[in-house]
Amino acid sequence: MEEKQQPTGGPHFVGKKEELIEAKRSFRTLEGRDILIIHHQGVFYAVDSYCYHAGGELQNGDIEEIDGKLCIICPKHKYKISLAKGEGIYKGTNPREKPPVPRWYSKGVKQRTHTVTETNGDVYVKLSTETCWIDSDFYQGEKGKVERAKA
Ligand code: FES
């Protein structure tokens, strides 16, 4: 891939739109962070590459619509993560409900997502600048790398 000037902290060039569409899923390391870029049903998404639960490789996960949200299913233990926001999605029941009906719930944001933009056929990813801890951050650090290697 042709190397382009990468402004520090700014949007990073990650490839030509056509290449990324054809690849469907592309792995990139930006500022030391491993990112998965997904093209699905005409939309680009960028998420941390390793699952927040135990570092599973999301690159190989299926994508399904769950409760109106497109989710990637981690191949390791089948956790569901919304592509747009990185929410952990799970099915549960409310025991106070009689009879309890299983429904989909959100655990909140668990997987860091990043912003994808496109200009004249070039695609860029701007890393999330959200300063609070998001669970998937663990598998981007040194300790997380060790854990992933053990699994
Ligand atoms: Fe992804 Fe457990 S590592 S579901």
Side-chain angles (χ1 to χ4, degrees):
M1 190 181 66
E2 172 194 355
E3 262 303 310
K4 294 211 172 182
Q5 188 80 34
Q6 305 280 3
T8 326
H12 297 269
F13 174 74
V14 291
K16 289 293 204 188
K17 182 180 174 186
E18 297 312 318
E19 290 168 9
L20 295 170
I21 289 175
E22 198 174 320
K24 294 192 177 83
R25 296 169 191 211
S26 308
F27 179 90
R28 298 284 184 274
T29 301
L30 306 176
E31 297 177 38
R33 198 164 189 104
D34 294 338
I35 303 296
L36 179 61
I37 299 151
I38 295 171
H39 185 266
H40 188 81
Q41 295 176 346
V43 180
F44 281 110
Y45 302 90
V47 296
D48 277 359
S49 191
Y50 311 117
C51 174
Y52 72 91
H53 174 226
E57 307 229 351
L58 295 181
Q59 185 144 8
N60 305 319
D62 291 334
I63 295 175
E64 276 177 31
E65 188 173 322
I66 297 173
D67 203 26
K69 295 172 183 171
L70 268 185
C71 293
I72 190 152
I73 320 289
C74 176
K76 213 163 177 186
H77 312 102
K78 308 290 179 208
Y79 276 30
K80 294 149 185 65
I81 299 166
S82 79
L83 284 176
K85 292 191 178 161
E87 291 169 278
I89 305 289
Y90 69 101
K91 194 170 237 179
T93 50
N94 178 351
R96 289 202 208 131
E97 228 176 34
K98 302 281 180 232
V101 180
R103 297 180 203 286
W104 291 104
Y105 293 93
S106 169
K107 301 178 194 173
V109 174
K110 296 289 184 182
Q111 194 78 17
R112 194 173 283 274
T113 58
H114 308 279
T115 308
V116 187
T117 53
E118 188 221 319
T119 310
N120 301 326
D122 290 343
V123 179
Y124 297 84
V125 170
K126 184 165 180 15
L127 293 178
S128 154
T129 52
E130 176 62 63
T131 49
C132 71
W133 174 262
I134 295 177
D135 288 0
S136 66
D137 292 344
F138 178 77
Y139 291 100
Q140 299 287 340
E142 283 309 313
K143 281 188 190 164
K145 268 187 205 158
V146 173
E147 289 296 316
R148 279 197 293 113
K150 279 194 233 159

